[in-house]
Amino acid sequence: MKGLVCLLLLLETFVCVVQHQVDGGLNENEISQQLRSEDGRQNPPQTDTLRGEASTDSQQNYHLFFTDIHAALRELTATVTDQKANIRELTATVTEQKVNIRELTATVTEQKVNIRELTATVTEQKTNIRELTATVTEQKVNIRELTATVTEQKTINRALETRLREQQTFILEEMNKKNDEISNLTLSQVEELRKENREREIAFSASLMQSGSGDIGPFTTEFTLTYRNVFTNIGNAYNPITGVFTAPLKGAYMFRVSVFGHGPTSASVAIIKNGEHVVVANALQAKDRLNSSNGVVLILEVGDVVYVRLWSNRRLFDDQSNHNTFSGFLLFPLREQELCRM
């Protein structure tokens, strides 16, 4: 393409020179004279016939030369015009491609922004999933611990129930023996025994609150409960100020406790004898009301103490319905030999 343009420029320059000479006043005769002069300088003089023939040949050659030049120029002009049209088409195509490239570049940039946003969203979701997974794992651990605790409590309760049944069987046997002995007593002995028993009547029953309503606990350590609303206190062995029952006689005593609360905090208390746990009343569930109860028969010496403690981090609820109670009574006194036999 560059070579073609250079050739076209050279031809145009030549044509301009020739046209300039023609426009400057040189006609064909003058050009012929110049050619003859030039030819005379280069060749010896000839005859008039030869000169005439030479002039005719020169004119013919001149016309043929310019005819060929114009034809070549027209062909070159047509070719250049075609090339210019092709160049314009190519330029328009290149411009269109540049527009498309800019649009594609903008689309790619937008897609990159979307990808970054999606990547941030995915990263955030992964973080949330990890946190939820950790929470679920923690909950599973808590559930396993609670399951183990419940299993342990069930084992303890079964053991306590077995012990209670054994003690109840023993008490029934002892009561039957006493009944047999009483049936064999004379009337005077019966009266004497009734008098003795009246002097030894011991029983109490109380609830937590005397008035109002509210929660008791939770506390960071075990807490001795004081059941201030006393229903019965025969023998005055129970102290509503301290919440402690003190045995005035050696004998078999029956004690019972009930608890009430609201989930999810469990309600758990224990009957304590001389500082040692004996039985537990425990209620646990995720929500709604909680209630439980338990009882035990204890062999007490004179001066032994029995009371109820609320476990640490546990809570009770009480009101005028008297949900939480503590009670006990003397089943029968024991002589030294009977205590040894047990």
Side-chain angles (χ1 to χ4, degrees):
M1 182 64 188
K2 291 182 179 179
L4 183 61
V5 173
C6 292
L7 179 60
L8 179 61
L9 292 173
L10 290 173
L11 289 174
E12 286 180 352
T13 302
F14 178 74
V15 170
C16 289
V17 171
V18 172
Q19 187 68 34
H20 178 70
Q21 290 178 354
V22 172
D23 294 338
L26 294 176
N27 55 27
E28 293 182 357
N29 293 327
E30 290 174 348
I31 294 173
S32 298
Q33 290 176 4
Q34 289 181 1
L35 290 174
R36 283 196 300 271
S37 297
E38 188 69 24
D39 184 62
R41 285 193 299 267
Q42 295 179 356
N43 298 303
Q46 300 178 352
T47 62
D48 293 336
T49 302
L50 293 174
R51 283 194 299 272
E53 293 177 353
S55 176
T56 301
D57 292 337
S58 297
Q59 290 176 0
Q60 292 176 350
N61 290 333
Y62 173 78
H63 285 294
L64 290 173
F65 174 76
F66 272 96
T67 300
D68 292 339
I69 289 297
H70 282 295
L73 286 174
R74 282 194 297 273
E75 292 179 358
L76 289 173
T77 301
T79 302
V80 169
T81 302
D82 293 338
Q83 293 299 324
K84 286 181 178 180
N86 293 333
I87 289 171
R88 283 194 296 274
E89 292 177 357
L90 290 172
T91 302
T93 302
V94 168
T95 302
E96 181 179 359
Q97 292 299 323
K98 286 182 178 180
V99 173
N100 292 335
I101 289 171
R102 283 195 295 272
E103 293 177 353
L104 290 173
T105 302
T107 302
V108 169
T109 302
E110 182 179 358
Q111 292 298 323
K112 286 181 178 180
V113 173
N114 293 336
I115 290 171
R116 283 196 295 271
E117 293 177 353
L118 289 172
T119 302
T121 302
V122 169
T123 302
E124 182 180 358
Q125 293 298 324
K126 287 182 178 179
T127 302
N128 293 336
I129 290 170
R130 283 196 295 271
E131 293 177 353
L132 288 173
T133 302
T135 302
V136 169
T137 302
E138 183 180 357
Q139 292 298 323
K140 286 181 178 179
V141 172
N142 292 335
I143 289 171
R144 284 196 296 271
E145 292 177 353
L146 289 173
T147 302
T149 302
V150 169
T151 302
E152 182 181 357
Q153 291 299 323
K154 286 182 178 179
T155 302
I156 294 172
N157 287 339
R158 282 195 296 269
L160 292 173
E161 288 174 359
T162 301
R163 182 178 175 185
L164 180 60
R165 283 194 297 271
E166 291 176 352
Q167 291 181 345
Q168 288 175 343
T169 301
F170 170 76
I171 290 170
L172 289 174
E173 291 176 353
E174 291 297 322
M175 290 180 68
N176 290 331
K177 289 179 181 179
K178 288 293 182 180
N179 289 333
D180 292 339
E181 291 177 359
I182 291 172
S183 63
N184 295 325
L185 293 175
T186 63
L187 183 58
S188 60
Q189 289 174 325
V190 170
E191 291 297 329
E192 184 180 352
L193 183 58
R194 285 178 179 174
K195 182 180 178 181
E196 180 181 354
N197 286 338
R198 280 194 299 270
E199 293 175 351
R200 296 182 177 183
E201 288 175 351
I202 300 169
F204 77 96
S205 179
S207 64
L208 280 175
M209 289 190 174
Q210 289 180 316
S211 62
S213 64
D215 292 327
I216 297 91
F219 304 106
T220 57
T221 60
E222 287 190 355
F223 179 77
T224 300
L225 296 173
T226 55
Y227 294 81
R228 298 184 181 276
N229 187 26
V230 177
F231 304 121
T232 305
N233 193 8
I234 300 172
N236 293 319
Y238 173 71
N239 187 340
I241 297 176
T242 62
V244 177
F245 172 84
T246 305
L249 297 174
K250 183 194 313 181
Y253 292 82
M254 177 70 185
F255 295 96
R256 191 162 191 84
V257 65
S258 64
V259 295
F260 180 84
H262 296 287
T265 305
S266 61
S268 306
V269 301
I271 294 178
I272 309 295
K273 172 189 172 183
N274 297 331
E276 296 182 358
H277 284 238
V278 181
V279 295
V280 174
N282 178 55
L284 171 64
Q285 63 183 26
K287 58 181 180 179
D288 297 331
R289 292 175 293 180
L290 311 174
N291 59 78
S292 179
S293 63
N294 207 346
V296 65
V297 174
L298 297 176
I299 306 301
L300 301 181
E301 293 283 350
V302 176
D304 285 347
V305 293
V306 177
Y307 49 93
V308 177
R309 276 187 180 171
L310 176 66
W311 283 12
S312 60
N313 300 317
R314 303 301 197 272
R315 180 177 60 192
L316 304 178
F317 176 81
D318 202 20
D319 55 21
Q320 295 305 302
S321 297
N322 302 313
H323 299 291
N324 299 274
T325 60
F326 177 41
S327 60
F329 60 91
L330 174 66
L331 286 173
F332 51 84
L334 292 174
R335 293 184 292 273
E336 188 66 32
Q337 60 270 24
E338 291 174 338
L339 189 59
C340 291
R341 188 166 60 250
M342 293 173 60

